[in-house]
Structures are given as C-alpha cells and as structure tokens.
Amino acid sequence: MALGGLARRLVADGAINEDDAIQATKEAVKEKKGFVPYIVENDLVASQKIAEVASDEFGTPFFDLNAFDFEVYPKDLVSSSLISAHHAIPLVKRGTRLFVAVSDPTNLVAIDEIKFHTGLSVDAVLVEEDKLASTIEKLLDDSDSNFADFDEDGLDDLDVVETSTKDEDEGVGDGSDDAPVVRFINQMLLSAIKKGASDLHFEPYEKSYRVRFRIDGVLQTAAKPPLGLGPKMAARLKVMSNLDISERRIPQDGRIKLKISKTKAIDFRVNTLPTLFGEKIVMRILDPSSAKMGIDALGYEEVQKQLYLECLDKPQGMILVTGPTGSGKTVSLYTGLNILNKEGINISTAEDPVEINLEGINQVNVNNKVGLDFSSALRSFLRQDPDIIMVGEIRDLETASIAIKAAQTGHMVMSTLHTNSAAETLTRMMNMGVPSFNLATTINLIIAQRLARRLCSKCKEKADIPVDVLMKEGFTEEQAKAATIYSPKGCDACTRGYKGRVGIYEVVRITPPISKIIMEEGNAIELNAEFDKQGFNSLRKSGLVKAASGVTSLEEVNRVTTD
C-alpha cells in the first residue's frame, strides 16, 4: 500500500516505522478517520512531532491553539456538523479570506468543503492534533448547551420509543413555537449520554432555570435556558414520559426509552417534583451496557472478586449488597445475575422499579398501589420453581423473613439494604426482628460499597505527602513509605482531574467465628474487630489501597469513606 506524503515523511524521519504507518492508514480508513487523528489517538506519534514534520514538509504556517482567543471565533460561518465531519476549525475571517485550523495539511477535502459552504478563500493553518481535537469537542459541547444554536440535523426526529399517545400540543403551545424546546431537550439528553452522566436535573428557581448533569457522582451545570421556557420543558418531558401534563401538584414517575441508533437504546427513569417555582424533573440514565460490564471492570480487589464468585457458585444462601443510593449496588447485583444467567437456571427478580431489562431473567416491577410489594412477589416466586431470587431491597421484617426462608430451602437469594457497612447490615437486620440464628446460618456474603472518581490517567500528578500524614490517614508505616499518592490536576480529556468511577468495596464472608458473634447478638464494634482479624478490608482500607495504586486520590477516598 502506497503511503501518503505526510505518512511517508514521518517514516523517513523515524517517527513511525513503515509497517505501523501502513497499518494505521488502513485502520483509519476502516474507522472513517483521518490518518493524523488515528495515530495520535493510538499514541503512535506525538502531536507536536507531527506538527513539526508537516509544517516543514508542506510549508504550512504553524499556530499554537492555546494562544487563540475564541471570543473572536467566527461561529456563524461554519456549522458544527461540518467542523465535526472534517476535523477543522475556522479561526479568523479577513475580508474574503478565512484561516482554518487543521492538523493534516493534506486534508484537502475539508478545505474544499469549507470553501464551498462559505464562499471564501480558505488558507490552512497547522495546529497540533490533540489540541485541535479537544478544542473541537469543547466548541461542540458549548454549542450543545447554547439554547439558541440548533444547527444539528435530526434532533427534531429523535426516536423516542413507547411514548405517550396523547396530543403533544396539549398545554405546550403550537408546534412551531415549541420546536426549539423539543430540540433543546433532545440535545440535553444526547449530551448527557455522550458525557457519561448518570442523572439530569431540570431545575426552576425564582429568577433562573438551570440544567445540571451528574458526572462521576458530582453535579455540574450544563445549560441555563430562559426561565419562561421552564413550564414548556416540563410539559415536553412529561409527554415523553407518558405522564399527566395537567397534574402539577403531586410527584409523578415515568420512563423514556430513547433509541440512539439501530442497535442501541437508552432508558431514562423520570421523576417530577412540585417545587416553589415550578416542577423539578430528575432523569436517571439507565444504560443496559452497565449491567454487562463484567466483574473485572467493577474495581474489586482480586481476593474480593474471588469471594464474590465463590458465593455465587453456591446452590443456596444469601448475598447482601449494601450502601447508600447511587453507590452502584444495582450494577453489582446485575453483574452477579449475568454470571448466573444460564439456560438451565430459573432466575426471578422483584425490583422497584426494574431499571435494566435482562434477557433470560424474569423481572417483576413492584407496584404497591395494587398490592404487589416485595413480600407478595417473593411468595409468588416460591411457587414458580426458582433457582435464584433477587429482591430489590429488604425494607421490613416480612420481606426479610420470606427471603431468609427462601435461602434456607435451597434457593440463592440476592438483595440490597441501605446501610453503611457490612457490620451495620447485620445489626440492622437484627433490629428489624430477624432472629440472629437465621442470619448466622443463612447469609453467605455481605458486600458494602461506594463509588469513587477515577483519576485521569493523562494528567494526574504525584502528591508529596509526608509519611506521618499518610499514617494518620490509615496507612501503616510500611505502606506509607511504599505508597505513591497522586492528586487531580485537570486537562481537556477529563473533568477537574477525574474521569470515570471505580468501586470501593468491603467484602465479608460469614465464617464460623463471625457466625458465633452474630448468634450472641454482638454489636458492630465486635463484628468489625473480627472482620479485621480475618483480613477482610473495611471500606476505608480498600479505599486506601486504591489511592496507593494511583487509581483515585486521597481526597476522593476521604469524600466517600470514613475512618
């Protein structure tokens, strides 16, 4: 395969070997990317080296994008779709000349397209690929959150599956007036998915309105649309969720299924809440792919993972997953269910509500209004020849008693509780009135968990923390001397130094000595002492392991765990 001019020059300069260049060219074509973006994304050649070689080879002037003032960026000249498609940014217009930033001066298609759409003479300016990519992403994100900018195609016809059959114009104005509202909401949903948000908040206040995304567990403002459009946005979201748009006095729950491609759909769980200045709407994003991540992606230490897998392999007993709302309990349970989900096994779940549909598993949506609560669902399961039962949450003695009876009669039972640690889970169930001997003989494993933000691998930096300070945080002297602690910095590829989240776990197997303490109705202090004696790391210790290995920061461990 013949190499292009830039690839050939990079090979001649020793920046990349010929075989890698040929392979990169093929892969770039296959992925419909430019050669330069592909080799930078895959760390084959540094952006700065490419810019130096390209400037020398083609005589194109080089420019540092960090020095450009985007306040003067001519945003109305070129649509965001054109910028995204051709990986080029218009920088400055002078008379009939337009200067355009590119990372590959051989990208003549981009220059010709921009020339055709603008009617201007186009001059290429060479910039570094990594800076160009991050700048394009920022410009497109800014465009997404600007209520007045709706140049993207297809937002009007976003495919919302199983939406309401009601007249969508009822209470929200005529179609022409509300088209911007429809497009803005669609833009927010797509932007939230793209950024990996877990929740969207639409919030009305006395003098302002804001939309926030929860990204990596922290809320961030995404847009501030005009206050007067708040009621129309609430009505639109309620129509999409099949809710009563005329009812504004009580909370409502609904669901949206958004088809974003031929093969992928995302569910949103929607809740409305009447507040002082209008309805606040919170949407939880339910991505089915999160339930199929695999146990290795969740962040368990090797010993903890093996404990979980061993207990999943047992024919009967109970596994409890505990933690506050938003700590990843559902994903941990679904991961276990996916491991167990085989043709020869009957699995039934009772959830409130069912968050993610799992093929091959019988899922029941709890509905207290008609008397279908956790306990009644559990009773029915026991007449359905089950092998494995999952209860969304144990909230009362009746549910706990039936779940324990099921675990004692040859079934594997999995469930959650809202407690802070493994020891508190046991004391909470004793306080509910569950006999201690039932707990001691039935529970196989307790997993307490939290979610901590991952440090960005591209910008994290070593933190100079004295050994005595690390020892006060919980490290032993030996651990403190060996640990390399990192802190967040922040770059274009992350959010304030963090990107993604990782689980922190306390995984406790109920052993005979622990069973003895339970039978004697021991308190949380006695249980924690025994857990420590047997080598089961507490949440705090597991968090310190993550910090010492550079996965997260000490500040983040302090945020999500306590001593």
Side-chain angles (χ1 to χ4, degrees), residues 240-485:
M240 293 172 72
S241 311
N242 202 13
L243 300 178
D244 183 355
I245 63 173
S246 64
E247 181 56 78
R248 302 181 182 89
R249 300 164 299 173
I250 60 173
Q252 297 186 68
D253 290 296
R255 200 177 182 106
I256 298 172
K257 190 178 187 70
L258 186 70
K259 192 172 181 181
I260 58 176
S261 72
K262 290 182 179 179
T263 58
K264 186 171 184 180
I266 301 288
D267 283 349
F268 294 82
R269 194 175 73 204
V270 183
N271 177 265
T272 70
L273 179 70
T275 68
L276 195 59
F277 301 107
E279 289 180 285
K280 173 174 177 175
I281 298 179
V282 175
M283 308 175 71
R284 168 66 58 89
I285 299 176
L286 308 172
D287 186 354
S289 62
S290 65
K292 300 176 182 177
M293 291 169 57
I295 195 168
D296 291 321
L298 299 184
Y300 286 96
E301 303 300 327
E302 190 60 34
V303 173
Q304 295 176 333
K305 183 179 80 171
Q306 289 306 316
L307 284 173
Y308 191 16
L309 292 174
E310 285 170 13
C311 286
L312 285 173
D313 202 36
K314 291 187 176 182
Q316 66 185 59
M318 184 179 284
I319 295 174
L320 296 175
V321 182
T322 78
T325 301
S327 59
K329 300 187 298 295
T330 301
V331 172
S332 283
L333 282 178
Y334 280 4
T335 300
L337 289 176
N338 272 320
I339 292 170
L340 296 169
N341 189 10
K342 297 171 185 173
E343 186 180 351
I345 294 178
N346 179 21
I347 304 176
S348 296
T349 75
E351 304 171 61
D352 184 20
V354 173
E355 294 195 358
I356 296 171
N357 298 328
L358 299 175
E359 185 70 27
I361 293 177
N362 308 292
Q363 296 173 276
V364 174
N365 222 355
V366 167
N367 186 348
N368 290 313
K369 291 180 182 178
V370 298
L372 180 59
D373 54 16
F374 284 122
S375 56
S376 61
L378 264 173
R379 286 194 197 94
S380 181
F381 288 168
L382 292 175
R383 295 189 289 270
Q384 290 270 319
D385 185 30
D387 295 301
I388 296 160
I389 294 171
M390 194 269 271
V391 187
E393 184 184 350
I394 293 177
R395 297 174 179 170
D396 52 52
L397 177 58
E398 185 179 14
T399 305
S401 299
I402 300 169
I404 284 173
K405 189 179 292 182
Q408 289 173 332
T409 55
H411 307 97
M412 169 61 71
V413 179
M414 304 172 73
S415 189
T416 72
L417 279 90
H418 283 90
T419 55
N420 293 323
S421 67
E424 288 177 41
T425 300
L426 292 164
T427 56
R428 166 81 179 277
M429 292 191 76
M430 282 189 244
N431 290 338
M432 275 185 192
V434 179
S436 57
F437 64 85
N438 278 343
L439 295 177
T441 57
T442 304
I443 298 175
N444 293 336
L445 191 77
I446 302 175
I447 301 171
Q449 65 182 77
R450 300 290 187 276
L451 286 177
R453 290 178 292 174
R454 281 183 186 270
L455 283 167
C456 173
S457 59
K458 292 187 177 180
C459 70
K460 66 180 181 182
E461 54 187 9
K462 288 184 180 179
D464 187 16
I465 303 176
V467 170
D468 59 329
V469 174
L470 292 177
M471 289 174 66
K472 287 178 182 177
E473 291 288 349
F475 288 101
T476 64
E477 183 175 0
E478 185 179 350
Q479 289 171 334
K481 288 178 179 178
T484 303
I485 306 296

Side-chain angles (χ1 to χ4, degrees), residues 139-158:
L139 289 175
L140 295 182
D141 284 347
D142 288 346
S143 171
D144 285 349
S145 61
N146 182 348
F147 190 83
D149 182 14
F150 295 106
D151 291 331
E152 299 293 333
D153 295 329
L155 286 172
D156 290 324
D157 302 317
L158 200 60

Side-chain angles (χ1 to χ4, degrees), residues 514-543:
I514 295 172
S515 293
K516 184 180 178 184
I517 295 174
I518 296 170
M519 294 279 284
E520 295 169 352
E521 298 188 1
N523 57 36
I525 295 172
E526 294 169 322
L527 287 165
N528 279 323
E530 185 61 33
F531 296 167
D532 189 55
K533 181 180 176 182
Q534 296 199 29
F536 299 128
N537 277 353
S538 66
L539 281 165
R540 178 71 182 176
K541 286 184 177 179
S542 293

